[in-house]
């Protein structure tokens, strides 16, 4: 149970156990109503007539929330539709979820600290506190066989040695050596804290499954994990309930058994991974359109017949009346809706013309955060305005560091980074949204940053190109989803008209449709691009050159991103076979 569950949540859950199953609460702008439809002791969660509001806006209306034990769900939907709000409502128990089902919400990276990677994974404080409290309560009860068994399970799970072994085993499976496990989290690169947080979730095994089946919902809102090839084994084999938001198709394909699509304020369920979802949805929509066209044709023909012969001879009039009744019956029974494609935003960057090369040049560059720990040396590479470069490599190899060298935020230990005198660089990094003023609206923020000379209407058009439209333009930024905040940053970045974009994990909070729009915008633009991303699909769409960072070097990969992906898979398979031999 979540440690921050409010009193009203606890009272509602207590009422639910007595047969009062309807719940309506408000918290942090959220408002939820729903009826618990599954059995109170079930391992599944089924809430009927589920409605979710956020600051008075309908996100879901009379939807059916159904999560079955052992299934791994990918939650999809456009930015701002309410995916993260739904997960937070589940974690806060605004939804009538039985008390025996534990919930773990993952919505941010592990904070950089002096904790080691192993200690950070082990420090799941809320779960540990809950288990300790349960153990204390059981110790005060009569020692029946069931109580004694449960207490034994809890004490075994709380055994620090066993917790450490389990956490170390999972980290080892993800490629964390003993040295890396003992490294402080603040010493890791930006991608590793994103990796450690999901490991926390999958390491929560309070009791051996053979004795008491674990019942945990784990939510991963808006994090694109940096380990797409192969999919993270603990999540790919997760045996409880996993509900996650990810905008990486590779990751969704590798982990999910089901897809849930937030569409028209409902939850639509599909069996299979992302690719199967795309195929199934396309087939269903094709059949729906065929049915819609057939119905519309029938209606048109009947209306035409009624209009022509409704007042003719008695025989024709009777036939017209019959068709009128058939038409009324069709309408009463419900007509097939026309398939409406979700609105796709069209991002656009202003063309900036050309700068003569070399635009950005590395000459025999060496860099390390200390002279005795050099990340790479003898780097001789360049980027021009026709470059489309992807930087790939393991976490901690120095990908983001390379971008910092490009903009001059870091200086090399040796060699030179030369930039064209007129070069304007636009840099996007993973934490740029944190610099937005949360109390300003997107419109106010852009007017503040660029002055009011353009006028409010022009600025509305500028940010509207990035899918920030209507009331969203005037909502406080703190009330926007992470995806919409990212769009604000891209609007701010594009309005600076950079010659070159340096994008560090730009897709973490963008929905798949927006990622595709970003790819189209880059391909239509005449500036240069350097991209650090674990989204191989985006790399394949926009990049024609790959730099691999690792082993103390930065070198051109001789091939495309698919060949690099195949190389990673074969390398992983070889490592697995060596482990098996040992």
């Amino acid at each position: 149970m979540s440690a921050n569950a409010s009193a009203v949540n606890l009272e509602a859950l207590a009422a639910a156990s007595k047969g009062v199953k309807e719940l309506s609460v408000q918290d942090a702008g959220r408002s939820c109503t729903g009826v618990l439809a599954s059995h109170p002791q079930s391992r599944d969660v089924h809430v009927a007539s589920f409605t979710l509001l956020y600051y008075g806006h309908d996100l879901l209306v009379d939807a059916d929330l159904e999560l079955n034990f052992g299934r791994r769900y990918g939650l999809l939907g456009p930015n701002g539709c309410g995916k993260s709000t739904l997960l937070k409502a589940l974690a806060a128990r605004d939804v009538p979820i039985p008390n025996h089902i534990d919930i773990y919400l993952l919505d941010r990276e592990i904070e950089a600290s002096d904790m080691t990677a192993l200690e950070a994974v082990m420090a799941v404080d809320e779960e540990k506190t809950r288990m300790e409290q349960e153990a204390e309560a059981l110790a005060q009860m009569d020692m029946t066989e069931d109580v004694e068994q449960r207490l034994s399970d809890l004490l075994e799970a709380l055994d620090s040695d066993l917790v450490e072994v389990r956490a170390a085993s999972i980290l080892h499976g993800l490629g964390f050596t003993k040295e890396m496990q003992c490294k402080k989290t603040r010493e890791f690169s930006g991608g590793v804290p994103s990796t450690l947080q999901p490991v926390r979730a999958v390491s929560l095994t309070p009791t051996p499954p053979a004795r008491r089946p674990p019942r945990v919902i784990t939510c991963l809102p808006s994090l694109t994990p940096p380990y797409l090839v192969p999919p993270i084994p603990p999540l790919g084999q997760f045996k409880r309930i996993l509900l996650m938001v990810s905008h990486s198709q590779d990751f969704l394909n590798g982990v999910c058994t089901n897809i849930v699509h937030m569409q028209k304020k409902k939850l639509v369920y599909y069996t299979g991974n992302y690719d199967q979802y795309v195929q199934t949805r396309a087939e269903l929509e094709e059949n729906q359109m065929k049915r819609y066209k057939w119905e519309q044709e029938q209606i048109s023909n009947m209306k035409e017949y009624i209009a022509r012969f409704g007042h003719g001879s008695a025989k024709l009039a009777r036939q017209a009346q019959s068709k009128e009744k058939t038409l009324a019956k069709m309408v009463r029974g419900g007509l097939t809706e026309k398939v409406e494609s979700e609105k796709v935003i069209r991002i656009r960057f202003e063309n900036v013309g050309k700068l003569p090369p070399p635009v950005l040049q590395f000459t025999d560059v060496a860099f390390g955060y200390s002279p005795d720990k050099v990340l790479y040396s003898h780097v001789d590479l360049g980027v021009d305005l026709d470059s489309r470069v992807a930087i790939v490599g393991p976490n901690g190899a120095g990908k983001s560091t390379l971008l910092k060298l490009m903009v001059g935020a870091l200086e090399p230990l040796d060699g030179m980074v030369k930039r064209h005198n007129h070069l304007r660089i636009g840099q996007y990094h993973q934490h740029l949204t944190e610099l937005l003023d949360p109390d300003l609206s997107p419109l106010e923020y852009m007017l503040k940053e660029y002055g009011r000379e353009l006028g409010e209407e022009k600025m509305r058009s500028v940010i509207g190109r990035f899918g920030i439209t209507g009331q969203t333009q005037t909502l406080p930024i703190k009330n926007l989803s992470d995806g919409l905040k990212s769009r604000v940053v891209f609007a701010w970045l594009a309005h600076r008209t950079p010659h070159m974009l340096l994008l560090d994990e730009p897709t973490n909070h963008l929905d798949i449709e927006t990622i595709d729009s970003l790819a189209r915008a880059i391909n239509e633009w005449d500036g240069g691009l350097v991209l650090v991303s674990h989204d191989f699909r985006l790399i394949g769409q926009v990049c024609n050159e790959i730099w691999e960072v690792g082993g103390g070097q930065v070198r051109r990969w001789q091939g495309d991103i698919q060949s690099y992906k195949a190389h990673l898979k074969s390398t992983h398979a070889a490592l697995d076979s060596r482990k098996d031999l040992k």
Side-chain angles (χ1 to χ4, degrees), residues 79 343 345-347 436 441-446 459-477 480-492 510 514:
N79 290 143
K343 187 176 180 181
I345 68 168
R346 186 170 178 80
I347 295 173
L436 298 173
S441 69
L443 182 60
E444 291 169 338
Y445 178 78
M446 291 290 285
M459 192 57 77
R460 281 183 180 274
S461 174
V462 168
I463 60 178
R465 291 207 304 263
F466 290 81
I468 306 163
T469 57
Q471 192 177 13
T472 307
Q473 295 188 344
T474 55
L475 280 176
I477 289 173
L480 300 183
S481 69
D482 289 333
L484 290 176
K485 289 176 184 175
S486 294
R487 292 186 188 185
V488 174
V489 171
F490 270 109
W492 170 81
L510 299 180
T514 303

Side-chain angles (χ1 to χ4, degrees), residues 220-232:
L220 273 72
S222 306
L223 292 179
T224 302
Y227 31 73
L228 302 181
V229 183
I232 178 174

Side-chain angles (χ1 to χ4, degrees), residues 75 83-92 105 219-221 243 245:
L75 182 59
K83 299 185 296 294
S84 295
T85 302
L86 171 59
L87 298 189
K88 290 173 182 176
L90 289 172
L105 173 66
C219 308
L220 273 72
L243 178 62
V245 175

Side-chain angles (χ1 to χ4, degrees), residues 41 50 67-68 85 131 142 187 227 235 238 266 274 308 397 446 450 471 493 509 511 546 567 577:
Q41 296 304 315
F50 177 49
L67 304 172
N68 295 319
T85 302
M131 290 163 58
D142 294 333
E187 296 174 352
Y227 31 73
L235 287 181
F238 198 62
K266 301 291 184 185
Y274 181 82
R308 287 181 62 188
M446 291 290 285
Y450 292 107
Q471 192 177 13
L493 200 61
H509 300 297
D511 60 59
I546 297 171
H567 163 71
S577 63

Side-chain angles (χ1 to χ4, degrees), residues 213-253:
R215 296 179 273 250
V216 179
I217 297 175
T218 305
C219 308
L220 273 72
S222 306
L223 292 179
T224 302
Y227 31 73
L228 302 181
V229 183
I232 178 174
L235 287 181
Q237 300 164 11
F238 198 62
K239 301 301 183 185
R240 306 177 190 180
I241 299 176
L242 175 66
L243 178 62
M244 54 174 265
V245 175
S246 174
H247 304 308
S248 163
Q249 295 182 23
D250 281 333
F251 192 68
L252 292 167
N253 280 330

Side-chain angles (χ1 to χ4, degrees), residues 16-51:
S17 67
K18 297 177 183 177
V20 182
K21 297 181 180 178
E22 191 160 350
L23 175 65
S24 177
V25 296
Q26 287 191 344
D27 179 46
R30 295 188 305 269
S31 175
C32 299
T33 60
V35 177
L36 181 64
S38 56
H39 190 278
Q41 296 304 315
S42 172
R43 297 188 298 180
D44 303 332
V45 175
H46 184 190
V47 179
S49 301
F50 177 49
T51 296

Side-chain angles (χ1 to χ4, degrees), residues 289-354:
M289 278 305 296
K290 286 180 180 178
R291 178 72 180 172
Y292 169 80
K293 289 177 181 179
W294 179 85
E295 286 179 353
Q296 293 302 311
E297 185 178 345
Q298 293 297 308
I299 290 170
S300 177
N301 291 339
M302 284 188 282
K303 284 183 175 180
E304 183 181 352
Y305 191 95
I306 293 166
R308 287 181 62 188
F309 303 112
H311 302 287
S313 65
K315 182 179 178 181
L316 292 176
R318 283 196 301 271
Q319 289 179 345
Q321 289 173 359
S322 175
K323 290 185 181 296
E324 197 167 4
K325 290 178 181 178
T326 301
L327 179 58
K329 185 177 179 181
M330 284 179 65
V331 173
R332 285 197 306 272
L335 297 175
T336 303
E337 291 185 5
K338 183 179 180 180
V339 174
E340 295 181 4
S341 301
E342 292 179 343
K343 187 176 180 181
V344 178
I345 68 168
R346 186 170 178 80
I347 295 173
R348 184 164 60 88
F349 298 108
E350 296 290 341
N351 286 334
V352 290
K354 294 295 181 181

